[in-house]
Amino acid sequence: MDEKTVDTLVAELAGYAVRTGLISPRDRIWAVNSLLEVLRLDHWDGPETVPVRPLENILRDILDWAQATGRIEKGTASRDLLDTALMGRLTPRPSQVTEEFRRRYARSPREATDWYYQFSQDTDYIRRYRVAKDLKWTTLTEYGELDITINLSKPEKDPRAIAAAKAAPQNAYPKCQLCRENEGYAGRLDHPARQNHRVIPLTLDGQDWFFQYSPYVYYNEHCIVFNGRHVPMKIDRSTFRRELDFVRQFPHYFVGSNADLPIVGGSILSHDHFQGGRYTFAMEKAPVERAVSFPGFGDVEAGIVRWPMSVIRLRCADDKRLVDLAGRILDAWRGYTDESAFIFAETEGEPHNTITPIARRRGEDYELDLVLRNNIATPEYPLGVYHPHPELHHIKKENIGLIEVMGLAVLPARLKDELGKLARVLAKGGDLRSDPELVKHADWAEGLRERYTFTEDNAGGILQTEVGRAFAQVLEHAGVYKCTGEGRAAFLRFIGSVT
């Protein structure tokens, strides 16, 4: 690739920024010079007009040139560091982004989030072309239509990057990938670059929080709302106040929090945060199967949700009443033990009970779903009694966090190739145990052979359906009270204990 071609690529990237509104036409020469600095070039003779091409193609060609000329090492980590540096030069300053968000919010919260979501894609913070690679489907189950996704957009760590990061001096800045200090950070081989990242300041329950989108968008407008301070996850009354404050400010979004204990919590417990967005999960659609009441809260609608996990739904026009009742339920659950139902508040001083709370608006009303969680482990279930059991680990072994709780399975990337290979073997009647990659699926797949006649045309669809049904079982395992007469009786015993 000659210098003339690189000059054209720089012109294309600057043209993209003008076209998407990241910069104005007046900024074009400044932008070109900024890009040249990143690419370590000191002259430019690019065209005034260039063809319109997708951002992915422009960046790919620039990165190929940079790699061929020795400016970057081979591998995804090095390429991501450079293309983010380039996009960072084209991204408006945080104060400008916040000002535009607030200007639009004054007209409509939905207009503000629509703009910010598109902006986060245009800056390439959300890499649309990677997200598009994710495999997604739905499966109809007795609990409704569950969402299944195999995540392919989160890049695999390159072995070279892992080795280089291990050899590099350890760095505790930013403290984690959620901290506000990530905004504009150049990144390292062991920490993603964030020059093109902008966050929106919020005030929740009188405290400084921030709003951003997830770069991996597991669902529509998947956002993250995080504490301005690097403090651990903690579920308490203030959690309910902040969640309800958020949906007051953004009534078209839901928001929820992972639990604050290992096994039943999310992947990041070190920084207090919520996740939200504009999406309707199966759990939100699930009906209340039994109405219940709590003393002193006759104005609050309450009930047990028909869902494989143990959910108490509360609804009221007065958000303060919801906070008061949710606080009582949380306090009661933290200290609740029912040995006959294998619910233990603690063992040997280790607490086990917590809640995964989700807030949303229903018209003028506020609604809270409180999902009861317990992280007790036993020799039989060392990863957790209320966790996917070993017979399902070939599909899902990881923690059941907020997103899964609501009915969206985020499955590991390995399943894409494994399910494809499994479909071919089943269609041909092959040996499931001769392939070391498939042997983990053999017991499950042999059971499917007894129920289906597999062909090349139907094998893939059958496996997708059965993966969805397996996810429904995963949620049943994670439920502390089972959807049985005995389980519901135990659930009602707990509700009766709340005073």
Side-chain angles (χ1 to χ4, degrees), residues 53-222:
R53 292 200 300 152
L55 177 62
E56 175 187 13
N57 296 353
I58 300 170
L59 291 175
R60 180 199 61 213
D61 291 347
I62 292 175
L63 295 172
D64 287 347
W65 168 83
Q67 186 175 310
T69 56
R71 283 168 168 79
I72 60 172
E73 299 293 328
K74 185 178 180 181
T76 301
S78 295
R79 293 171 72 92
D80 283 358
L81 288 173
L82 179 58
D83 68 8
T84 306
L86 291 168
M87 294 307 300
R89 294 301 181 100
L90 305 173
T91 302
R93 292 191 178 193
S95 58
Q96 295 172 293
V97 176
T98 299
E99 182 181 357
E100 180 64 16
F101 183 90
R102 289 176 173 166
R103 184 180 71 82
R104 292 173 180 268
Y105 183 91
R107 291 199 294 261
S108 161
R110 183 168 297 191
E111 180 184 334
T113 56
D114 283 349
W115 171 81
Y116 182 46
Y117 189 56
Q118 184 64 46
F119 171 83
S120 298
Q121 296 173 76
D122 290 341
T123 63
D124 208 37
Y125 174 70
I126 297 174
R127 297 173 185 261
R128 286 172 282 208
Y129 42 90
R130 285 187 182 170
V131 174
K133 296 176 182 177
D134 290 349
L135 298 183
K136 298 181 180 182
W137 68 90
T138 60
T139 300
L140 185 61
T141 72
E142 63 178 297
Y143 306 108
E145 203 166 54
L146 301 183
D147 291 297
I148 313 297
T149 180
I150 295 178
N151 173 40
L152 303 173
S153 58
K154 200 170 185 176
E156 298 286 339
K157 289 192 175 181
D158 185 279
R160 291 178 294 267
I162 294 172
K166 184 177 180 180
Q170 293 303 298
N171 190 336
Y173 180 88
K175 292 179 180 177
C176 77
Q177 291 188 27
L178 289 181
C179 286
R180 61 179 297 191
E181 287 80 10
N182 283 279
E183 187 177 47
Y185 185 61
R188 316 181 293 271
L189 288 174
D190 63 345
H191 192 102
R194 290 290 184 251
Q195 292 103 317
N196 59 347
H197 180 39
R198 300 293 180 264
V199 300
I200 304 298
L202 298 177
T203 300
L204 297 182
D205 191 33
Q207 294 192 348
D208 292 335
W209 281 58
F210 292 85
F211 172 69
Q212 67 175 67
Y213 287 105
S214 165
Y216 309 116
V217 286
Y218 293 139
Y219 51 85
N220 186 49
E221 298 181 41
H222 178 184

Side-chain angles (χ1 to χ4, degrees), residues 25-47:
R26 168 67 181 84
D27 298 325
R28 183 172 178 271
I29 294 301
W30 164 85
V32 165
N33 286 329
S34 295
L35 296 173
L36 294 179
E37 180 183 1
V38 175
L39 295 172
R40 305 203 299 274
L41 295 171
D42 58 10
H43 65 280
W44 181 72
D45 186 22

